Amino acid sequence: MPGTEPGTGPGLAHGRTVIVTGAGRGLGRAHALAFAAEGANVVVNDLGVGLDGAPGAEGGPAAAVVAEILARGGAAVAHGGDIATEAGASGLVSAALDAFGRLDTLVNNAGFLRDRMLVNLDGDDWDAVLRVHLKGHFLPLRHAAGYWRAEAKAGRPVAARIVNTSSGAGLLGSVGQGNYSAAKAGILGLTFVAAAELAGYGVQVNAIAPAARTRMTEGAIAAALPEPEDVSPLVVWLGSDASEGVTGQVFEAEGGRITVMQGWRPGPTARSATRWSPVEAGRATRKLLAQSDPPLPPYGAR
Ligand SMILES: NC(=O)c1ccc[n+]([C@@H]2O[C@H](COP(=O)([O-])OP(=O)(O)OC[C@H]3O[C@@H](n4cnc5c(N)ncnc54)[C@H](O)[C@@H]3O)[C@@H](O)[C@H]2O)c1
């Protein structure tokens, strides 16, 4: 229902133009529908690839989501480009400007998996997953940021939002997902830099680590996971005016749970006035480890 928060007018995202990448299915689809329900104009991007990124395997799901939004009285256009290419990413920003005359929020969400144990992971599976997630976040972010910088320099007010999609695999690691874990950890680094660099132009950048039942989580754990629609309210809020002042943060979201993830910070420290010998460094390090919390294990670790 639009206007669910008191004092927010006809919808929390009313008047905003929002791009959601990979919005033909799963989490992206849920985000696109939720933004539309809160009054946003939505650009629904999806290349329509298979779960492993195989091209064109499953048709054009973006058009179906646009049809759903229009049927509910919302405003949306489809974009079928590959967000990990320059042409796809710049065309995506142009699609928002052509259809709605402005861009306010970018939700980077598209991606796919090529899971293998490291000893079986070849260079192509590494490149494909790093490309779609990491470059597929960077390029839309850069093209959107270029537009917002030009707006800010022209003296127009900018209250822009970027929501990036990491994963528990990026936070802790996930056995059998070395490529995906590296890409999703890279997205966190990109988020922190973008939040710092773009603050002066009025752009806030945050990341989520979601968990939901989609084709990506089919199989053993899927049945236990909640609906993708449960993650979208946080994404809509982060992508709206209402999240003013929140940037450079990482949130886990699963079902009805939202958790602020608190990242690397210095723990126990030892110092020596003279250079350590390796034996001394080892002795000091063991003492520090004894004073420290053990790291959380990666997902799937025995
Ligand atoms: N489902 C979960 O529990 C979970 C957990 C952690 C992170 N994530 C992340 O959430 C995001 C969405 O995942 P999902 O579970 O909804 O998966 P999904 O497979 O249902 O949806 C992903 C969509 O991205 C599209 N896509 C893939 N490559 C693209 C490209 N180059 N350009 C445009 N579109 C492309 C696909 O066609 C697909 O429709 C992903 O980044 C995923 O890594 C999901």
Side-chain angles (χ1 to χ4, degrees), residues 21-29 45-51 53 61 79-84 108-113 131-133 137 165-169 180 184 187 208-217 221 225 228:
T21 71
R25 308 185 178 85
L27 284 156
R29 173 181 168 276
N45 160 270
D46 207 293
L47 187 56
V49 296
L51 184 55
H79 178 267
D82 181 347
I83 44 80
N108 282 316
N109 166 83
F112 56 75
L113 299 174
R131 175 185 168 281
V132 73
H133 289 280
H137 268 60
T165 305
S166 184
S167 166
Y180 181 70
K184 290 302 198 186
I187 286 167
I208 60 160
R213 192 166 65 244
T214 68
R215 69 173 187 170
M216 203 178 266
T217 50
I221 56 165
L225 287 175

Side-chain angles (χ1 to χ4, degrees), residues 1-5 10-12 37-38:
M1 279 284 289
T4 46
E5 219 173 73
L12 199 63
E38 291 292 341

Side-chain angles (χ1 to χ4, degrees), residues 42-46 60-64 66 76-81 92 95:
V42 185
V43 180
V44 178
N45 160 270
D46 207 293
V66 167
V77 293
H79 178 267
L92 182 57

